[in-house]
Amino acid sequence: MTATSRTTAAWVRRFHPSPDAPVRLVLFPHAGGSASYYYPLSQALAPDTEVLALQYPGRQDRRAEKCIDNLPELADRAYEAVLPWLDGQFAFFGHSMGSVLAFEVAQRLRRDRGDLPLWLFASGYPAPSRLPSGTVHLRDQAGVVRELTEVGGTDPQWLEDQDMLDAILPAIRGDYRAIETHTWVPEAPLDCPLTMLVGDDDPHTSLDQAAAWQNHTTGKFALRIFPGGHFYLDEHRDAVVDTVAGTLRALLDTASA
């Protein structure tokens, strides 16, 4: 096995291989999240879309590895891992920190290959030009738990189990450090279409911050607002699937016509 294939195997999860699908969708998890969070989304989109979910270092089966706590390095490593899979038609979807990471990987792809995803789906985080700073990564354990309780997305039982907290907090703290200390470097907008999805009661993303994603593309832009908070997609997974699948299907149908 080559170094490249080992890197890809460590980073990329194919829960529902669909080699005959006309498009691949690369999923970028949220801060503290793992590839398995996207298992239901992968299941719902297969076999029409082949889903690749990224597994960052420092969690689950990669828990023994050191977390990458700065976003540029995380984007570099993620780009290296997914590049072998971008040999056909593909799109990106990222939630929370993952939306900014997906954007950064798309920028690297443009610089390196002059290529871009068919569509970029950003979810649950302010536009790169509107990134807020934060201090969650500096808080003590109780402070981090308060943050996780506020935003949701973490099983409450995990937050009450000290052994589980000890296992998941390093990745959460590292990811929060990566996104909270990240500074956007101005660059030309992407040329691919972009859809921004957000909950109308997200404590971390105002509708104005969500709408600002339109400044990062010269392509078609759509803003989809759902009832709910930061993890609105847990309650509205079917609607999110319909948005993603319908968007990609219409795009491919138009291209084939």
Side-chain angles (χ1 to χ4, degrees), residues 28-29 54 56 71 74-75 78 96-106:
F28 297 77
L54 294 191
Y56 310 143
L71 205 73
L74 187 58
S96 193
M97 178 190 78
S99 66
V100 181
L101 185 61
F103 177 80
E104 289 278 334
V105 172

Side-chain angles (χ1 to χ4, degrees), residues 5 39 46 62 96 121 149 195 235 253 256:
S5 59
Y39 185 94
R62 303 191 69 187
S96 193
F121 298 92
T149 301
T195 296
E235 303 167 48
D253 287 347
S256 62

Side-chain angles (χ1 to χ4, degrees), residues 175-197:
D175 288 354
Y176 267 88
R177 181 179 294 111
I179 190 61
E180 289 183 332
T181 61
H182 181 58
T183 301
W184 175 63
V185 178
E187 192 169 319
L190 302 177
D191 297 325
C192 62
L194 192 156
T195 296
M196 172 59 189
L197 304 90

Side-chain angles (χ1 to χ4, degrees), residues 99-100 103 122 124-132 179 182 184 194 196 204-216 221:
S99 66
V100 181
F103 177 80
Y125 213 73
S129 55
R130 301 286 298 276
L131 291 179
I179 190 61
H182 181 58
W184 175 63
L194 192 156
M196 172 59 189
H204 286 310
T205 311
S206 70
L207 297 186
D208 182 59
Q209 289 172 322
W213 275 94
Q214 65 188 308
N215 300 322
H216 295 280
F221 175 77

Side-chain angles (χ1 to χ4, degrees), residues 23-186:
V23 62
R24 285 187 174 123
L25 180 66
V26 183
L27 302 177
F28 297 77
H30 54 278
S34 59
S36 61
Y37 176 78
Y38 285 129
Y39 185 94
L41 194 60
S42 172
Q43 185 175 40
L45 288 168
D48 296 327
T49 301
E50 180 165 64
V51 173
L52 309 178
L54 294 191
Q55 184 80 310
Y56 310 143
R59 66 218 66 212
Q60 293 186 335
D61 57 332
R62 303 191 69 187
R63 196 172 70 190
E65 299 177 52
K66 185 178 184 299
C67 292
I68 300 174
D69 61 3
N70 75 86
L71 205 73
E73 181 182 352
L74 187 58
D76 287 343
R77 297 280 302 281
Y79 172 61
E80 176 188 357
V82 302
L83 191 57
W85 292 95
L86 307 184
D87 56 347
Q89 301 192 98
F90 60 92
F92 290 170
F93 181 104
H95 178 63
S96 193
M97 178 190 78
S99 66
V100 181
L101 185 61
F103 177 80
E104 289 278 334
V105 172
Q107 286 186 316
R108 283 157 174 75
L109 182 62
R110 179 176 61 180
R111 292 179 211 138
D112 187 31
R113 296 202 325 186
D115 196 8
L116 283 169
L118 291 174
W119 209 283
L120 175 62
F121 298 92
S123 169
Y125 213 73
S129 55
R130 301 286 298 276
L131 291 179
S133 58
T135 61
V136 173
H137 68 282
L138 298 174
R139 296 181 189 177
D140 60 13
Q141 179 174 289
V144 175
V145 170
R146 283 196 301 272
E147 164 72 7
L148 299 180
T149 301
E150 179 184 8
V151 300
T154 304
D155 188 331
Q157 293 183 352
W158 293 4
L159 303 181
E160 298 169 1
D161 184 318
Q162 188 59 52
D163 289 339
M164 183 62 70
L165 277 175
D166 290 342
I168 66 175
L169 280 180
I172 292 170
R173 197 181 297 278
D175 288 354
Y176 267 88
R177 181 179 294 111
I179 190 61
E180 289 183 332
T181 61
H182 181 58
T183 301
W184 175 63
V185 178

